Amino acid sequence: MSEQTNKSKSGLSFVLDLAKPYRRKITTLSSASFVGGLLEAGFLVLITGLMLSLASGELPTLPVTGPLESRSTVLGLASAALIARLILGLLTAKITADLGAMVTVDYRKRLSHAFFDSDWKTQQAEPSGRLQELMGSFVVQVNLAMTSLTQGISAALSLIGFIGTGFFVQPQATLAVLGALAILGGIVTPLRSLIRRQSHRSTTSTLAFVASVAELGSLGREMQTFGVRGSFKERIDSLAKTAAEDRRRANFTTGTLTPVYTFLAYSAILAGAGWASTISIGNLGAIGAVLLLMMRSLSYAQQILSVSGAISMAQPYLHTVNAAISGYLANPAAAASKRSDNVTPLALQEVSFAYESDRLALRSATICIQRGEMVGVIGPSGAGKSTVAQLLLGLREPDAGQVLVGGLDLATMDRTWWTERVSFVAQEPALMTGTVAENIRFFREGIVDEEIHRAAERANILNDILALPEGFATHLGERGTRLSGGQRQRLSIARSLATEPELLILDEPTSALDSRSEELIRNSLAQLHGSVTMVIIAHRMSTLDLCDKIAVIENGEVTAFAHPKVLASTNAYYQNSFRIQES
Ligand SMILES: Nc1ncnc2c1ncn2[C@@H]1O[C@H](COP(=O)(O)OP(=O)(O)O)[C@@H](O)[C@H]1O
Ligand SMILES: [Mg+2]
């Protein structure tokens, strides 16, 4: 679909879409350029008149006004036109720069807002590195398109001012110039659509390159330990080469526009001169002025052309950005408004869910969690445990059945109300560049320092933090690399406890940790037991003996949901797992 609209959309409607939000500034720019063009054309007419009068020794004669009283009048008028032209030129430069900055900020904002307002499914499906690339180099291309557009508008209106003046001075010659320009424009049209196609290919290969680099970048440790650095380099080199090759082609075609144009333009002048020699020549001053106007018109036309090449080049980038924005906007996070008194009882009611239409990740799952309970979820890898966590969090919606919160369907509930009461700890702690306190607060500005302190204490990380050189103000470095895995995980537990949630969902929080960290986390959870409702997905059994109930999930189905003691005597999976870990 995107390919289709990309091609069918004409350059003109593309330009109009880009310009629409900035109508007022562009109108000012256009007026300034038009008047500037008139002034410049007037200046050239004055100067040719003056030169000819110097050569002939007579008073200057202008095409429209006829003879003037003195040369100093002409000089005065020419200087005034020049100064006014300068002022207008500076004004257009300012508007061009302003528009470039505005469009950059606007597009970055639209991209990020649309992304953050989209649902979890859309966000998760986003290829890694794509959003960064769209916000970075793609938006830079949009900025270039805007700058080119304003320069093009400015050149086009100056050209119109020129042609208008030309009609006054010498209508026939001006008509000839106009005809030549139209033909030139027609000749280079196929080049412009070629540029657009090549640039479209280049956007695709750039995004593929970025996604691969992002993925390879996250495998740095594996690359070192598996000794596959050479293959990594080759892979990156070849991707970089493909992306650069597509861009090179588009650049070359864009580069051919100017020489081709110059050749055609001078050929047209040659033809014009031949034609002029066959007709009777009127006023010499008029011919001189027309020649100057014509040359300058051709250079304005050249500017328009190179700008239109740049716009054709940028068009697929803007198209990709717009398509991404509409993709996000088409999948907004649910906006519902119901609230319940409590987050409990929390239940999965006959819930089925599929990531891909042909295979259910969860089939008719039913469990009910009461206030203050701690519920464990166990099962083989790939059984559907994390899917349960995402459904309970409301990150995904069931294809059939309901997630019930205090008897109400979670899909109909106010997101803000829900997120204020529910917290999540993932298997991989996701820390960010910033201080310890910032990582615990995590943008929730209402959380005061005492609450951060208390959350750290409850997550059994307080002593570790106080041992850091600057305590809570210690900078963690990118993604918290300064801490051990266990410390990072306890920090993310502190983050999830900072708002005193009613419900805490943990997805294998200790499966990658050493036994000491696991024990500290287990102690934290034991202390929360009873006051916070908890769902803990676990691989190992040590946290599970705290649980009031355990759900066993196998191959997308809840095969048991009972007290651990009951499972110990009735459930084969539980018995096997327990035996394996005991031994
Ligand atoms: N984002 C996804 N897209 C497609 N399939 C997925 C996705 N996430 C998980 N699955 C599949 O759904 C099934 C259940 O996954 P999950 O709930 O993550 O299992 P686990 O019990 O290991 O947490 C698996 O077969 C997995 O391959
Ligand atoms: Mg999982």
Side-chain angles (χ1 to χ4, degrees):
M1 171 228 97
S2 68
E3 181 92 359
Q4 203 51 43
T5 43
N6 190 33
K7 285 201 180 124
S8 60
K9 202 165 191 177
S10 79
L12 187 66
S13 80
F14 161 82
V15 157
L16 290 177
D17 282 353
L18 182 62
K20 212 184 281 167
Y22 313 99
R23 243 169 284 143
R24 280 192 36 209
K25 272 198 178 308
I26 289 181
T27 312
T28 316
L29 177 92
S30 309
S31 320
S33 307
F34 178 66
V35 177
L38 285 180
L39 288 168
E40 189 180 338
F43 172 81
L44 292 177
V45 171
L46 288 167
I47 288 299
T48 32
L50 188 65
M51 295 299 192
L52 285 166
S53 99
L54 285 174
S56 65
E58 290 166 16
L59 275 179
T61 304
L62 294 186
V64 184
T65 58
L68 292 177
E69 321 75 273
S70 75
R71 285 182 190 138
S72 54
T73 316
V74 178
L75 278 176
L77 283 173
S79 316
L82 211 55
I83 290 168
R85 172 90 183 97
L86 172 68
I87 292 169
L88 290 173
L90 295 176
L91 179 66
T92 35
K94 179 178 167 359
I95 295 177
T96 301
D98 287 353
L99 280 171
M102 279 162 81
V103 84
T104 307
V105 173
D106 285 354
Y107 270 84
R108 291 200 167 133
K109 214 176 185 172
R110 285 175 60 194
L111 263 171
S112 65
H113 288 204
F115 179 77
F116 291 123
D117 289 342
S118 67
D119 61 15
W120 172 242
K121 189 175 144 200
T122 309
Q123 294 185 2
Q124 232 208 1
E126 181 76 12
S128 61
R130 189 175 88 128
L131 184 64
Q132 289 87 321
E133 188 65 12
L134 292 178
M135 300 256 281
S137 72
F138 275 58
V139 169
V140 168
Q141 290 292 325
V142 176
N143 177 347
L144 281 180
M146 182 49 115
T147 311
S148 302
L149 176 62
T150 51
Q151 285 167 351
I153 288 175
S154 161
L157 280 143
S158 305
L159 181 62
I160 292 172
F162 260 66
I163 305 247
T165 314
F167 267 114
F168 269 109
V169 180
Q170 233 294 358
Q172 286 150 296
T174 309
L175 219 56
V177 171
L178 214 54
L181 290 178
I183 294 169
L184 293 183
I187 292 176
V188 295
T189 298
L191 270 182
R192 294 214 332 268
S193 60
L194 179 61
I195 292 173
R196 205 151 53 227
R197 277 200 305 280
Q198 290 175 330
S199 176
H200 178 70
R201 247 200 314 279
S202 147
T203 58
T204 315
S205 56
T206 303
L207 285 179
F209 173 68
V210 166
S212 310
V213 170
E215 194 181 83
L216 291 176
S218 65
L219 293 171
R221 191 180 45 199
E222 285 71 13
M223 173 187 76
Q224 300 277 355
T225 49
F226 287 85
V228 289
R229 217 179 305 175
S231 314
F232 262 61
K233 284 192 282 191
E234 271 169 35
R235 177 98 179 265
I236 297 262
D237 286 352
S238 112
L239 288 165
K241 212 170 143 197
T242 312
E245 177 58 22
D246 285 339
R247 183 79 192 173
R248 187 195 65 78
R249 283 207 195 108
N251 279 338
F252 172 69
T253 316
T254 313
T256 58
L257 276 176
T258 301
V260 167
Y261 169 84
T262 312
F263 169 76
L264 292 171
Y266 282 121
S267 307
I269 289 178
L270 213 58
W275 173 68
S277 64
T278 64
I279 59 164
S280 64
I281 294 180
N283 166 351
L284 196 63
I287 291 295
V290 163
L291 196 67
L292 267 181
L293 292 182
M294 207 160 80
M295 297 297 263
R296 189 65 176 114
S297 295
L298 288 173
S299 94
Y300 271 128
Q302 180 184 340
Q303 223 172 313
I304 294 171
L305 194 71
S306 80
V307 151
S308 83
I311 290 179
S312 301
M313 181 94 142
Q315 192 169 340
Y317 287 85
L318 178 59
H319 177 79
T320 308
V321 170
N322 279 333
I325 293 174
S326 5
Y328 301 143
L329 291 179
N331 295 292
S337 58
K338 282 194 193 157
R339 294 169 178 212
S340 136
D341 297 332
N342 255 308
V343 300
T344 45
L346 175 66
L348 292 183
Q349 184 81 43
E350 299 281 322
V351 168
S352 295
F353 178 83
Y355 291 98
E356 281 133 20
S357 53
D358 55 338
R359 213 168 55 91
L360 284 179
L362 210 60
R363 192 177 307 114
S364 249
T366 299
I367 53 173
C368 185
I369 301 154
Q370 300 298 335
R371 186 190 186 98
E373 268 184 350
M374 181 165 175
V375 170
V377 178
I378 62 172
S381 174
K385 304 183 296 296
S386 296
T387 308
V388 165
Q390 294 190 34
L391 286 159
L392 285 175
L393 286 164
L395 287 173
R396 295 187 186 266
E397 286 187 29
D399 295 322
Q402 290 180 320
V403 180
L404 295 173
V405 177
L408 298 173
D409 187 347
L410 178 56
T412 65
M413 301 192 67
D414 179 348
R415 292 299 305 177
T416 311
W417 178 87
W418 176 245
T419 52
E420 277 167 2
R421 281 157 185 80
V422 177
S423 235
F424 176 62
V425 176
Q427 178 173 355
E428 280 288 322
L431 300 186
M432 57 181 189
T433 311
T435 64
V436 172
E438 283 164 354
N439 267 286
I440 297 179
R441 181 175 283 121
F442 199 65
F443 304 106
R444 296 162 297 182
E445 300 307 331
I447 297 175
V448 298
D449 289 349
E450 288 73 42
E451 288 171 312
I452 289 181
H453 194 276
R454 169 144 173 72
E457 194 176 3
R458 296 214 290 171
N460 259 331
I461 180 80
L462 184 58
N463 290 336
D464 302 58
I465 294 173
L466 295 179
L468 289 169
E470 289 169 75
F472 281 93
T474 308
H475 269 273
L476 287 185
E478 201 165 344
R479 289 168 199 269
T481 36
R482 199 169 170 169
L483 302 177
S484 75
Q487 289 173 322
R488 282 207 293 273
Q489 188 58 295
R490 280 178 281 138
L491 199 62
S492 71
I493 293 177
R495 172 192 289 170
S496 74
L497 294 177
T499 46
E500 308 253 340
E502 291 173 37
L503 170 67
L504 182 59
I505 296 179
L506 307 100
D507 191 352
E508 308 204 31
T510 61
S511 64
L513 302 186
D514 58 285
S515 51
R516 161 143 177 81
S517 285
E518 183 174 6
E519 196 190 323
L520 286 171
I521 289 175
R522 185 185 180 280
N523 293 345
S524 293
L525 299 182
Q527 274 158 23
L528 296 171
H529 194 177
S531 61
V532 180
T533 308
M534 279 183 281
V535 176
I536 175 163
I537 295 168
H539 233 60
R540 279 181 246 181
M541 295 292 151
S542 74
T543 26
L544 291 177
D545 55 9
L546 295 168
C547 290
D548 303 298
K549 271 183 177 168
I550 290 177
V552 181
I553 300 190
E554 291 169 280
N555 198 15
E557 286 186 68
V558 180
T559 53
F561 184 49
H563 191 276
K565 283 210 177 90
V566 179
L567 291 183
S569 60
T570 60
N571 188 275
Y573 179 80
Y574 185 88
Q575 289 164 347
N576 285 336
S577 310
F578 208 63
R579 207 172 306 128
I580 289 165
Q581 285 180 11
E582 289 287 85
S583 59

